[in-house]
Amino acid sequence: MERPLTQHITFPPLEIRQYEAIGGYQAVRKAVRHMQPQEVTALVKESNMKGRGGAGFSTGMKWSFVPMDVPGPKYLVANADEMEPGTFKDRWLLEGNPHQLLEGMIVAAYAIQATEAFVFLRWAYKDAAIAVRKAIAEAYDAGYLGKDILGTGYSLEMHLHTGVGRYMCGEETALLNSLEGKRATPRAKPPFPQVSGLFGKPTIVNNVETLSFIPHIVNKGADWFKSLSRTADGGTKIYGVSGRVNKPGAWELPMGITMRELMEDYAGGMKNGFGFRGVLPGGASTDFLIEKHMDITLDFAGVAAAGSRLGTGTMVVLDDQTCPVGFVHNLEHFFAQESCGFCTPCREGLPWTEKLLWAIEQGRGRNEDLELLLRHTEWLGPGNTFCALAPGAMEPLQSALKYFRDDFERHIREHRCPYHDPVPAAPASAHLHHTHHL
Ligand SMILES: Cc1cc2nc3c(=O)[nH]c(=O)nc-3n(C[C@H](O)[C@H](O)[C@H](O)COP(=O)(O)O)c2cc1C
Ligand code: SF4
């Protein structure tokens, strides 16, 4: 099994000479010396590379929307904000092989003729910041960045920008506002960043995993990339699993392996004493899947057909001893805190959702709260808010209400959390009443 993306991951990561020794920066040499920018875009389009940032949009198609005849600067941004709960795949790439990302960025920047590139890095990723900063300096020294790259006349400046620790900064237009020094609220689309992005100029924002694939596609071709996958979406994919499994972790595997293979062969099955209840397949903002979905293929179409999203491909497992109400409450607490407050349904609705779930978990819920929660999943659903944070926040909730409704009802009926609180002693009055009849 080929693992192009992760085979050269080391800690500390390869320095530039070591990276070159294993074929590093060959894709930059090939692209800038021997390919037209449009040829690079066409190749990536042909490879069926779908963006790994969550939405699964064709990478080559996205690049092709950049108007090439517009004068003035163009920008490329690597989205390394990675704050989706349960997601830790980009960190592996950033800390373990930063030159691979930089190489992908230089090729992508060349394809859209960008003049400046940014790595927008999660604030908390301190080790990644050190690794990326060092790699950028080495790439400048070696002539892969800066003026007149490899004597071809193409020039590119690259900067590392560390975020401020807000989930919202991962949304591409909020990210661009943040990069401009403004408040991280999303922008109206259209215009899309490809046409009017950073400082109003054409901009491509791609995920770290997406960009890290680019050198391999340029070196080995579209057919090779497609052959790595078991389905129509090209390539391998970094899948991850967290929760009460025997071997939580992340693995680069063919796109389209089944959930069962991932859970059993790689994550090693559930820990002793714990049963499987469900899984969020693509980070926290995706719908739960359950046991009956074990044999679905983990590609964009396969997970969508089962009613969820591949998202980031990093699974969060819910076991049979963790309260589903508490689990979802914890997620909604995060989303409520991270709402940027720009639109009313999200700003007001997420704290309400959180409070309702907290009340149910504490045994203070009412039957009508379930109906109210369901209505929130509509009010905050797609089309009612400015960005995808709120609809994403509703995905684990709406699917929990579908698959684990019994648990919600039991909390309300028994006025307690069946997972945490002991069965309450019978009230004194009930006891007296009982003995009286004896
Ligand atoms: C609230 C929110 C947070 C996001 N966070 C990230 C993130 O941390 N990293 C990322 O690559 N994409 C994130 N996205 C998706 C980006 O907006 C964008 O679609 C992605 O960077 C595009 O990359 P791709 O084309 O390579 O998939 C987020 C979206 C939303 C709505
Ligand atoms: S949905 Fe939430 S995070 Fe997105 S713009 Fe509206 S308030 Fe901000």
Side-chain angles (χ1 to χ4, degrees):
M1 186 190 305
E2 286 185 84
R3 294 196 168 96
L5 211 52
T6 55
Q7 64 175 332
H8 295 300
I9 282 187
T10 55
F11 300 100
L14 298 181
E15 294 184 350
I16 195 158
R17 297 298 165 217
Q18 297 166 310
Y19 182 69
E20 286 174 323
I22 50 114
Y25 288 105
Q26 283 305 325
V28 168
R29 291 175 186 279
K30 184 172 172 183
V32 300
R33 286 199 172 136
H34 305 295
M35 294 172 81
Q36 291 300 315
Q38 286 86 346
E39 269 182 84
V40 180
T41 300
L43 174 68
V44 173
K45 207 168 170 181
E46 168 61 24
S47 74
N48 283 348
M49 171 75 212
K50 290 196 177 156
R52 306 300 203 242
F57 191 77
S58 157
T59 305
M61 182 92 80
K62 194 188 238 190
W63 295 1
S64 71
F65 295 148
V66 172
M68 299 299 282
D69 49 355
V70 174
K74 297 190 188 77
Y75 301 107
L76 175 87
V77 182
N79 190 343
D81 201 50
E82 195 163 68
M83 268 191 71
E84 182 73 22
T87 299
F88 44 85
K89 67 183 182 69
D90 295 341
R91 180 180 177 184
W92 195 22
L93 296 169
L94 289 157
E95 291 179 6
N97 196 351
H99 277 296
Q100 177 175 247
L101 168 66
L102 264 48
E103 185 174 11
M105 288 178 71
I106 297 167
V107 174
Y110 173 74
I112 62 162
Q113 291 292 287
T115 43
E116 270 183 88
F118 298 83
V119 179
F120 190 101
L121 183 67
R122 178 177 173 180
W123 165 84
Y125 281 4
K126 307 290 185 201
D127 290 346
I130 293 168
V132 172
R133 195 172 287 120
K134 182 166 184 277
I136 291 177
E138 288 177 346
Y140 267 106
D141 285 347
Y144 298 119
L145 283 171
K147 300 242 172 307
D148 192 21
I149 293 171
L150 303 174
T152 58
Y154 176 62
S155 303
L156 178 69
E157 303 298 331
M158 190 177 288
H159 316 273
L160 171 65
H161 178 98
T162 47
V164 289
R166 295 310 307 267
Y167 177 52
M168 200 50 221
C169 288
E171 196 282 335
E172 59 183 8
T173 59
L175 181 156
L176 296 177
N177 273 343
S178 174
L179 209 46
E180 287 182 12
K182 298 177 185 153
R183 185 176 158 189
T185 49
R187 298 176 180 176
K189 291 190 255 186
F192 288 90
Q194 295 91 300
V195 178
S196 176
L198 191 62
F199 302 111
K201 299 295 177 190
T203 305
I204 286 293
V205 182
N206 274 139
N207 173 258
V208 167
E209 186 183 345
T210 309
L211 289 164
S212 298
F213 271 121
I214 301 303
H216 305 288
I217 297 173
V218 169
N219 285 332
K220 294 191 170 170
D223 287 340
W224 165 83
F225 189 70
K226 285 190 270 196
S227 76
L228 296 176
S229 165
R230 291 195 198 161
T231 69
D233 306 331
T236 52
K237 167 88 193 88
I238 299 185
Y239 296 100
V241 181
S242 61
R244 288 197 168 107
V245 291
N246 281 312
K247 290 184 284 175
W251 307 268
E252 183 184 5
L253 299 168
M255 175 69 93
I257 59 152
T258 67
M259 177 113 84
R260 190 178 301 284
E261 284 173 277
L262 181 65
M263 290 294 170
E264 291 176 6
D265 301 348
Y266 294 93
M270 298 301 293
K271 273 192 171 150
N272 236 347
F274 293 94
F276 174 87
R277 284 294 299 279
V279 61
L280 301 172
S285 54
T286 56
D287 282 90
F288 278 103
L289 296 177
I290 55 172
E291 184 72 40
K292 71 172 180 187
H293 299 120
M294 269 294 169
D295 293 310
I296 65 163
T297 56
L298 294 175
D299 59 338
F300 289 101
V303 182
S308 188
R309 291 187 300 117
L310 180 63
T312 59
T314 40
M315 327 262 142
V316 184
V317 174
L318 171 68
D319 60 82
D320 63 353
Q321 289 174 49
T322 299
C323 172
V325 178
F327 187 98
V328 177
H329 167 258
N330 187 28
L331 296 179
E332 298 308 331
H333 173 67
F334 170 81
F335 290 125
Q337 278 195 322
E338 294 299 330
S339 165
C340 79
F342 198 54
C343 47
T344 311
C346 175
R347 184 185 61 239
E348 304 297 328
L350 283 175
W352 267 107
T353 307
E354 186 197 344
K355 277 184 193 148
L356 287 168
L357 287 164
W358 181 239
I360 296 172
E361 198 194 353
Q362 296 289 301
R364 291 181 285 106
R366 307 160 308 163
N367 283 325
E368 53 270 38
D369 289 343
L370 295 184
E371 180 57 26
L372 209 48
L373 280 174
L374 265 180
R375 288 171 72 180
H376 271 83
T377 65
E378 289 162 22
W379 293 330
L380 276 70
N384 294 334
T385 59
F386 212 68
C387 87
L389 186 144
M394 292 300 101
E395 292 183 20
L397 175 61
Q398 70 196 11
S399 47
L401 286 168
K402 182 160 93 183
Y403 295 127
F404 314 125
R405 196 177 172 101
D406 286 355
D407 284 287
F408 286 79
E409 287 173 351
R410 207 171 147 204
H411 280 75
I412 294 170
R413 204 172 49 242
E414 297 182 8
H415 302 292
R416 70 185 183 103
C417 172
Y419 292 83
H420 294 136
D421 304 335
V423 179
S429 58
H431 187 244
L432 282 176
H433 184 70
H434 189 61
T435 46
H436 176 76
H437 280 278
L438 275 176

